[in-house]
Amino acid sequence: MMTVTDLDCLRGQRCVLKGVSFSLDAGDCLILRGPNGAGKTTLLRTLAGLSPSPEGRLSAPPEAIVYTGHLDAVKPQLSVRENLAFWQGIYQNAPKDTLTRFDLDELAERPAATLSAGQKRRLGLARLHVSGRMIWLLDEPTTALDADHVARFTAILTDHCSSGGIAIISTHLDLDLPRAQTLNVADFAAPTGNGSTTSDDPFLQGSY
């Protein structure tokens, strides 16, 4: 369902990962490992189409992919319910149990600006469920979550994969996920001194 072949990944003008290859079937989960700065975020952004790749191939339709990074993508002036409604309009998908699954029922009318870091993270992660997309790309998704909500989100990930979805996760935690594979991105580190390549990544150029 998702195959990555000989993918090169850029950070700015420098190639940091070279020849990344893996294949995932429906129901699989891939855990990205590696030290800080090894390229886990860079790989996820490349898979999401946010950073260019000079070489390699990804066989997954963009409309099947949803990505969540270090920012929660929460509009602070809107309530929790209004944030979810905004995403429902974007994705044209309105599951009925999102508030409950992410333990947000009692916060539904609260302005997002008043939420704690962990509450904002749960609201940001709820976008995955609203999206209805089958391939979830997750960069440190459990940051700011307490142990109970890490367990709750692990159960959500398990349900997603059990229903035929795919998850690719950068995390330093040992999440108890079925059919989980591990990819050490350090194994694909580009050789030192690898030639630079011009990047047109708007995030790295400072324009949004």
Side-chain angles (χ1 to χ4, degrees), residues 89-195:
I90 294 293
Y91 293 111
Q92 295 296 296
N93 186 49
K96 298 182 182 300
D97 59 344
T98 302
L99 285 170
T100 300
R101 297 200 72 184
F102 288 84
D103 195 20
L104 295 168
D105 285 296
E106 295 183 2
L107 303 171
E109 309 310 326
R110 284 264 302 271
T114 68
L115 300 178
S116 70
Q119 291 166 343
K120 287 180 181 176
R121 175 48 55 112
R122 279 150 48 200
L123 177 54
L125 292 173
R127 180 170 58 90
L128 301 166
H129 189 241
V130 169
S131 76
R133 298 190 172 186
M134 296 306 295
I135 301 174
W136 291 5
L137 307 179
L138 312 170
D139 196 357
E140 297 291 350
T142 57
T143 299
L145 296 184
D146 59 32
D148 287 345
H149 287 103
V150 169
R152 181 184 288 258
F153 185 63
T154 301
I156 290 171
L157 281 172
T158 298
D159 288 347
H160 173 69
C161 293
S162 295
S163 64
I166 287 174
I168 302 178
I169 310 166
S170 167
T171 181
H172 294 287
L173 297 182
D174 291 324
L175 302 177
D176 184 16
L177 295 166
R179 293 180 59 176
Q181 308 172 37
T182 300
L183 182 77
N184 188 341
V185 299
D187 293 341
F188 299 95
T192 303
N194 192 64

